[in-house]
Amino acid sequence: MVMQDGGAVDVRPDPDPGRAAQEHSGGYLAAGLCLAVCGGALAAWTVYDTVQRGAGAGDFVESLFNPGAFSATQVVGPGEWAFAAALLVVAVLLLAQRRVARTAALLCGFVLLAAALREGVGLLDAAYRAQYNADPRGGWALATHGLGLVTALVVPAALLPATERRGPHARARTGAGARPGPDARSGLAPGGWWRRPSRICGVLFLVLGVARLAWTVWDLTSGRLDTTRYLRGVVDAAVPGDLRLAATAGFTTVGTVIALLLLGVLAFRGRRDVRGALLVCAAVQLYLTVRGVVWLTVSGFFNHAFDTVAGALSMALTAYALAATTSVVVLATGRVWGPYGGVRAEAFRAAPDGRYGER
């Protein structure tokens, strides 16, 4: 509290600047509930798949990181395991009204929309539709895809309008007793502390996206993959020829490249609200990369990794992916908030030289 013109003015920052505005609570609640149900459905499929394969809890934990733990066909794969965990975590953050969850939820919603559209294209094939009738799991699988489509429509509709207002007129409370935000007291621009880490994250994602795109193009042009079938599998669920919820390698790879490049551009431009999406994307990619490293270890690939140029390049890409995703996770979770949610004292001292603020 300080005295100004004979009156008391509360200069403490908001108790929780990371909380969404009250007028957006309904949108956060709707999106959080949809993501929670969708994540729960994928988790249920994971349990069903584990039981059907005759595996116990210990076996499943081993298979989380060791791709060679089971050889049986899986209804869902590691990508779905990681995505289910992401959906549930983001849902909890949305229900807690955390602003950082907004772009994370939008990213999850767009992934669900892409998967639903791909499934819709597959359903145009009569043979693929017949598999839903013949397989006893077909009805549940179709219901899961339908749930994903509903979630993909609700999340953008609920959260795209839920933008936080900036500027001196953002608050309804003005005059004596109004509490300016931490940026107003410190002289930092809104989200100024995030600009430098954001650009670093953007560069890391852009380099990783370009590298994976180049590797995929090389795979397709070198004859190692059937280009037509690979590209059709990206947009058509009927191409693999069987009924499963697990995404094909082509769909996962192309979707990952698009997400890395798009988020990389937004992060490089210093968009503060992209932090949640960066965190989710990096965390999922970090898990899949670590799982890949474990497979390289147990398969003995490391013993002959540098025998060929392709092997050496693969190792370099894996090492960079591991370092980049770890760095983005660390940077995206960094905070400089003090005990009241405001910027710490070191941020005030660092503001003149631009360490946290605008240059």
Side-chain angles (χ1 to χ4, degrees):
M1 302 288 290
V2 299
M3 300 300 294
Q4 180 176 331
D5 296 331
V9 178
D10 188 352
V11 298
R12 289 178 301 176
D14 283 341
D16 194 353
R19 189 176 178 84
Q22 183 63 33
E23 61 265 27
H24 303 319
S25 60
Y28 275 66
L29 178 61
L33 290 175
C34 286
L35 289 180
V37 174
C38 196
L42 285 179
W45 274 108
T46 301
V47 174
Y48 168 83
D49 197 22
T50 303
V51 173
Q52 288 295 110
R53 290 184 292 157
D59 296 324
F60 173 70
V61 171
E62 181 184 0
S63 68
L64 284 175
F65 293 96
N66 182 9
F70 298 104
S71 59
T73 302
Q74 299 175 353
V75 179
V76 291
E80 286 70 35
W81 301 341
F83 191 53
L87 289 175
L88 294 174
V89 171
V90 173
V92 171
L93 293 175
L94 285 173
L95 295 177
Q97 304 288 302
R98 307 308 301 178
R99 287 167 51 190
V100 71
R102 177 176 174 268
T103 53
L106 289 173
L107 175 63
C108 293
F110 291 138
V111 171
L112 289 171
L113 180 60
L117 292 177
R118 176 177 176 270
E119 187 66 22
V121 173
L123 289 173
L124 298 177
D125 184 272
Y128 185 66
R129 291 198 306 270
Q131 293 187 45
Y132 276 101
N133 295 325
D135 196 316
R137 304 167 301 180
W140 291 104
L142 188 60
T144 303
H145 287 299
L147 177 61
L149 177 59
V150 171
T151 302
L153 296 177
V154 170
V155 169
L159 295 182
L160 282 178
T163 55
E164 299 294 334
R165 293 172 293 176
R166 305 290 184 214
H169 301 294
R171 298 181 180 275
R173 296 171 297 164
T174 56
R179 297 187 299 173
D183 293 333
R185 294 195 303 117
S186 65
L188 299 179
W193 69 271
W194 168 242
R195 181 172 296 275
R196 181 173 295 177
S198 178
R199 287 180 173 173
I200 295 174
C201 292
V203 171
L204 292 173
F205 262 33
L206 285 172
V207 173
L208 182 58
V210 170
R212 288 193 170 172
L213 176 61
W215 185 267
T216 303
V217 171
W218 179 76
D219 268 343
L220 295 175
T221 56
S222 63
R224 297 174 60 183
L225 297 174
D226 185 335
T227 303
T228 302
R229 181 178 176 83
Y230 184 92
L231 295 179
R232 280 191 58 203
V234 174
V235 297
D236 187 354
V239 171
D242 57 353
L243 183 63
R244 61 170 61 189
L245 294 175
T248 61
F251 178 80
T252 302
T253 300
V254 172
T256 298
V257 169
I258 293 175
L260 289 172
L261 295 178
L262 179 60
L263 293 177
V265 170
L266 294 176
F268 186 76
R269 295 177 59 187
R271 291 290 300 270
R272 182 185 184 187
D273 54 356
V274 80
R275 190 162 66 100
L278 283 173
L279 184 57
V280 167
C281 184
V284 171
Q285 291 303 307
L286 177 59
Y287 164 70
L288 295 177
T289 302
V290 169
R291 195 170 187 271
V293 170
V294 172
W295 173 243
L296 294 178
T297 302
V298 299
S299 64
F301 178 80
F302 284 127
N303 298 329
H304 307 283
F306 296 96
D307 292 349
T308 63
V309 175
L313 290 176
S314 176
M315 287 296 300
L317 179 57
T318 300
Y320 177 78
L322 189 62
T325 52
T326 302
S327 299
V328 172
V329 168
V330 172
L331 290 171
T333 54
R335 295 294 296 266
V336 294
W337 301 112
Y340 294 105
V343 182
R344 289 176 180 162
E346 56 264 32
F348 299 136
R349 294 192 296 269
D353 65 12
R355 279 184 290 156
Y356 290 106
E358 299 268 350
R359 284 189 179 278

